[in-house]
Amino acid sequence: MKNPYIAHPAIITNIRQETAETKTYTLEFTKQKRGLVFIPGQFNMISLLGFGEGPFSITSSPLRKEIFEHTIRLVGSLTGQINRLNVGDIVGIRGPYGSGWPVGLAKNKDLLIIAGGVGLAPLRGLIDMAIEQRNGFGEVEIMYGSRKPENLIFTSDYDNWRSAPNIRLFLTVDEVPKGIEWPYGQGVVTNLLKFSKINPANALAFICGPEIMMRFIVRSLLIREFAEKNIFVSMERRMECGMAKCGRCMIGPKYVCTDGPVFSYPEVKALPHNLLAASL
Ligand SMILES: Cc1cc2nc3c(=O)[nH]c(=O)nc-3n(C[C@H](O)[C@H](O)[C@H](O)COP(=O)(O)OP(=O)(O)OC[C@H]3O[C@@H](n4cnc5c(N)ncnc54)[C@H](O)[C@@H]3O)c2cc1C
Ligand code: FES
C-alpha cells in the first residue's frame, strides 16, 4: 500500500515576484511522469526538509498539465524558508487535496469572483480556465481588493484577463499612497459590487479573502438576491495532514481539508460559531 504522507519532489523552474512578500513559483515534478491533475481551488501540502509543511492553493490553470504554480506570501517560518528558494531548488508536494470550486455547476453560468489580498490565489486557476474555455462559461466579473496598490498580486495577468471577451476586472485598495496615480477604486471590495452587471439568477459567486471581508460580501450578495446555494467561499484553517486524519483543521463536524476548503454558503451557515453570519 502506498504511504499517503510521502511527498513527491518538484523542481522550481521559475519565480515571479508579485509583491514585496509574495512570489509565484512554477513547479514541475522530477520523477512523477503524470502532471498534477486538480480542480481550481484545491491545494497542495508543500514541504521543505527540516522546515516543515503547509497547505498552499494551486494557482495555475488545471488545463496546463506539464507545470503547476503556487503563490506564497511570507508570513512565518516555512514561508520564510520558501521565500529564500531559487530556480532549480526542490520542494516536496503532497496533493492535490480538498474540494475545489464547483466547476461543473459553473458551466454556462455567469461568474462573480471576489477576492481580497492573497485570497486571489485559489481563484486565478478558475479565471484562467474560464478564459481558455470561453464558450463554456458566461460573463465573468472579477472584483479584487488589497490594502495598497503594491499589495495587488497577479498584476501581470490583468491585461490578459481584460482583453478576454465578456470578462471585467474591477480593482480597489484601502489606501492610495500620496503621489501615486490610481485610476481604480478606493475603499473596501464590497463597494465594487455596485458595478456588477451580472444577473444573480444565472450566476455563481466565488469568494476568498479574510473572513471579515467574506462576511460583508455574503451579506451584500444576499441583499442583491443571490441564492444562498449559489454563493461559495474558501475557508482557511491551520492544517497538518490534509487528509481528515489529524483533526487540526476541524470546524465543528467538518474537515476544512477534505470537506472544504471550498464550501457553499448553506454549508458554512450550518457550522457552529456563526462564522460568516450574514444577518440582514
Ligand atoms: C487551504 C489553504 C490554502 C492556502 N493557500 C495559500 C496560498 O495560496 N498562499 C499563501 O501564501 N498562503 C496560503 N495558505 C496559508 C499558508 O498555509 C500559511 O500562511 C503557511 O502555512 C504559514 O506557514 P509558516 O510556517 O510560514 O507560518 P507560521 O510561522 O506557522 O505562522 C505565521 C503566522 O501565520 C499564521 N498562520 C499560519 N498558518 C495559517 C493558516 N492556515 N491560516 C491562518 N493563519 C495562519 C499564524 O497564526 C501566524 O500568525 C493557505 C492555507 C490553507 C488552509
Ligand atoms: S488537516 Fe488534518 S484533519 Fe484536516
Side-chain angles (χ1 to χ4, degrees):
M1 199 173 111
K2 276 191 186 161
N3 179 346
Y5 286 97
I6 288 181
H8 299 279
I11 186 167
I12 299 174
T13 59
N14 190 50
I15 300 177
R16 192 174 62 244
Q17 189 89 40
E18 300 282 353
T19 71
E21 312 95 27
T22 310
K23 294 176 182 172
T24 296
Y25 302 84
T26 308
L27 294 152
E28 251 176 67
F29 286 119
T30 56
K31 293 189 182 146
Q32 217 172 276
K33 283 204 183 72
R34 205 172 67 129
L36 191 72
V37 179
F38 66 95
I39 304 166
Q42 286 191 299
F43 65 93
N44 281 324
M45 296 299 291
I46 302 187
S47 55
L48 271 186
L49 218 54
F51 295 102
E53 193 179 40
F56 297 94
S57 305
I58 306 159
T59 54
S60 47
S61 162
L63 304 174
R64 291 181 74 184
K65 300 272 185 249
E66 69 295 354
I67 59 103
F68 55 99
E69 290 186 324
H70 284 281
T71 300
I72 299 181
R73 186 157 68 102
L74 192 173
V75 293
S77 57
L78 174 64
T79 50
Q81 290 302 325
I82 293 176
N83 185 57
R84 291 194 182 92
L85 297 177
N86 295 305
V87 168
D89 286 338
I90 304 279
V91 297
I93 300 285
R94 288 196 289 126
Y97 294 124
S99 50
W101 303 106
V103 174
L105 268 186
K107 285 281 154 87
N108 300 316
K109 293 260 173 53
D110 294 341
L111 309 184
L112 180 54
I113 291 173
I114 307 172
V118 83
L120 191 56
L123 287 157
R124 178 180 176 238
L126 180 72
I127 296 169
D128 285 346
M129 190 179 183
I131 290 175
E132 287 154 23
Q133 298 185 332
R134 203 60 291 268
N135 294 332
F137 301 88
E139 299 192 11
V140 179
E141 287 178 345
I142 305 158
M143 306 198 162
Y144 176 44
S146 73
R147 254 181 323 115
K148 294 182 185 175
E150 67 258 35
N151 301 124
L152 294 166
I153 60 171
F154 306 136
T155 51
S156 58
D157 289 343
Y158 297 170
D159 283 348
N160 183 36
W161 295 352
R162 285 192 182 106
S163 63
N166 292 323
I167 298 209
R168 294 184 287 278
L169 171 66
F170 302 92
L171 302 173
T172 189
V173 293
D174 297 340
E175 195 186 319
V176 181
K178 281 198 183 113
I180 287 198
E181 205 178 308
W182 176 251
Y184 308 108
Q186 185 172 357
V188 292
V189 75
T190 329
N191 293 350
L192 295 175
L193 283 174
K194 61 178 176 280
F195 300 115
S196 177
K197 291 188 187 140
I198 276 178
N199 176 2
N202 186 44
L204 299 185
F206 297 139
I207 316 164
C208 186
E211 273 174 30
I212 179 84
M213 177 210 105
M214 296 205 287
R215 186 177 312 158
F216 282 106
I217 296 287
V218 167
R219 194 158 83 172
S220 301
L221 293 179
L222 294 175
I223 290 170
R224 284 165 182 270
E225 301 192 336
F226 260 85
E228 291 189 351
K229 68 176 175 47
N230 292 337
I231 300 174
F232 295 84
V233 297
S234 184
M235 305 294 290
E236 201 175 293
R237 285 295 177 274
R238 293 205 74 129
M239 292 184 181
E240 272 166 28
C241 68
M243 295 181 285
K245 303 237 183 280
C246 71
R248 183 79 154 99
C249 67
M250 289 186 86
I251 309 177
K254 294 276 184 187
Y255 292 95
V256 176
C257 63
T258 51
D259 297 319
V262 174
F263 293 97
S264 69
Y265 178 60
E267 286 176 299
V268 178
K269 216 174 136 185
L271 295 174
H273 317 307
N274 268 352
L275 287 173
L276 300 182
S279 49
L280 299 178

